[in-house]
Amino acid sequence: MIKKKIEAYIDAHRQEMLDDICTLCRINSEKMTYKEGKPFGEGPFLALTKALAMAEGYGFSVTNYDNFVGTADLNDGERTLDILAHLDVVPAGEGWTVTEPFEPVEKDGKLYGRGTADDKGPAVAALYAMRAVKELGLPVTKNCRLIFGTDEECGSSDIAHYYDVEPEAPMTFSPDGAFPVVNVEKGRLEAHFTKNFAPCAALPRLVSLDAGIKANVVPGKAKALVEGLEKDAIRASADQIEKETGVAFEVAAEAGKIRITAVGKGAHASTPEEGVNALTGLLSLLVKMPFAPCGQIQALTDLLELIPHGDTCGEKLGIKMADEISGPLTLAFSLLKVDSESVDGTFDSRCPICSNEENTLAVVKKNMEAKGFTLLTESMTPPHHVDGGSAFVKTLLEAYEHYTGRKGECQSMGGGTYVHSLKNGVAFGAAMPETDNKMHGADEFAVIDELLVSAKIFALAIVELCS
């Protein structure tokens, strides 16, 4: 009876839930410049304010933790379950075709827009799960708290601020991954490196290179400015490299120089094999061009040897590895700036349980230093693992099985969520395992039926865990 009531309630509130998601997704909540009282800038502040107003309007007790984090409590009982979601988003990026990033639209059963999948859509689904439990008067005696964060994409300093004053709940899930349950999150090595060299004005030359928007995003575009080469010759080389890499190139004259724009396909850094890296594609082109010999071009050649186009497992860096529980190590070359005197870059590696600083960080440092690069990163984030046989995880899997008819099993992921450092935290939803919602890429979307079933699953889990 309870399960059918939940299902009917969520179905009846479909449009209202989508409207609330769209309200939040119209706010550009990328991390912005600090303002007094707005630790992550205007956008995240506005998104948090709006989300708390929504929750309060639906009858929940809300608390604002210095505009870092906001919470909504189901009741005043013993706090047993936390649902940890976030309202900040990665930069909009380029390449959107269905709609503009912050103009959400419904099309073909999907809701498009930045944040629809990561993580505003799932956050609102969790809010509606709590509404269902509250408004249906379902039998719960313990408290479920929905936590709205605002800095998940840029280091989670918001949630660190929250846990400085609040204890962890006995159980926590974050609707910021995929179903069924992600109980293993890989470790992470965000490797920042540099190299300096003597400037050289000899022609032909590379004037500058700029690629990437964030460390955890496979770059879909990369740009270089070159001088002293003919446009037609560059075009011929670009056509050949496009065949080899799958990266397209735009070549245009610009104030006596030539601008080369590499166009690939963006992806989340935890799944670099799903993208086409414009940065490594551009390097593949540049090292083939007849530039005057110099330290800069040698640095790019060495860099491409360490991280060649298509190597998403760290093989050439000497860190390829895998284990049965968490799968293989992955690597995404995500950021690079080059000028006449220096290289400054970052790659993002998601590391399995068998990885550690000795067999990963130390190896990267050694192999990069052998080619003259300085690795500035001194530590790694360790992996996270929660027992898949616990009563908590089993309850989540049972809720998933009831509303989907699918078998619930634990999974590993390369992406890190808010629960990575929590003792008993897992990622739970809000996308089905087979759905590629273009998270962190252009045309991000959430499947509407998946958001609805997520709300139902969350509501049933709340009842089972908080009764």
Side-chain angles (χ1 to χ4, degrees), residues 72-91:
D73 287 315
L74 178 61
N75 55 42
D76 59 1
E78 177 188 354
R79 189 166 136 241
T80 298
L81 174 66
D82 282 350
I83 303 175
L84 191 49
H86 68 90
L87 303 173
D88 60 309
V89 296
V90 298

Side-chain angles (χ1 to χ4, degrees), residues 401-430:
E401 289 176 344
H402 175 78
Y403 283 113
T404 65
R406 304 183 182 198
K407 181 174 176 56
E409 296 178 319
C410 290
Q411 297 179 328
S412 167
M413 70 181 286
T417 71
Y418 266 147
V419 301
H420 195 92
S421 61
L422 301 183
K423 181 178 180 180
N424 198 28
V426 298
F428 185 49

Side-chain angles (χ1 to χ4, degrees), residues 269-408:
S270 65
T271 53
E273 69 282 356
E274 295 178 3
V276 180
N277 195 315
L279 165 53
T280 52
L282 181 57
L283 289 179
S284 299
L285 172 61
L286 293 175
V287 300
K288 297 291 187 182
M289 295 170 63
F291 292 119
C294 63
Q296 177 202 62
I297 299 303
Q298 185 60 53
L300 297 190
T301 301
D302 291 341
L303 197 50
L304 194 62
E305 289 180 3
L306 290 167
I307 314 175
H309 184 76
D311 182 358
T312 59
C313 60
E315 182 174 9
K316 294 299 183 181
L317 264 172
I319 55 173
K320 181 179 180 179
M321 66 184 76
D323 60 52
E324 291 186 8
I325 295 176
S326 52
L329 178 145
T330 62
L331 185 146
F333 194 172
S334 46
L335 296 169
L336 186 65
K337 288 186 181 295
V338 182
D339 58 25
S340 63
E341 299 181 347
S342 66
V343 163
D344 189 304
T346 300
F347 68 81
D348 185 333
S349 182
R350 305 302 167 102
C351 307
I353 292 174
C354 62
S355 172
N356 54 50
E357 293 193 349
E358 182 178 354
N359 65 16
T360 305
L361 178 62
V363 173
V364 168
K365 182 179 178 66
K366 175 185 176 182
N367 290 338
M368 295 203 79
E369 286 184 348
K371 290 189 176 293
F373 294 93
T374 300
L375 183 66
L376 303 177
T377 303
E378 297 181 348
S379 64
M380 295 170 54
T381 301
H384 172 71
H385 182 204
V386 172
D387 180 10
S390 67
F392 169 46
V393 171
K394 286 183 176 179
T395 299
L396 297 181
L397 291 174
E398 287 167 2
Y400 166 80
E401 289 176 344
H402 175 78
Y403 283 113
T404 65
R406 304 183 182 198
K407 181 174 176 56

Side-chain angles (χ1 to χ4, degrees), residues 61 66 87 107 113 125-126 153 155 223 265 302 320 363 397 414:
S61 174
D66 305 316
L87 303 173
K107 182 179 179 181
E153 300 290 3
K223 298 180 179 181
K265 177 186 175 184
D302 291 341
K320 181 179 180 179
V363 173
L397 291 174

Side-chain angles (χ1 to χ4, degrees), residues 238-261:
D239 290 344
Q240 180 59 41
I241 297 299
E242 180 174 351
K243 293 177 183 177
E244 297 174 7
T245 64
V247 175
F249 297 93
E250 301 167 0
V251 182
E254 182 178 302
K257 301 178 179 65
I258 302 293
R259 172 71 65 186
I260 305 171
T261 302

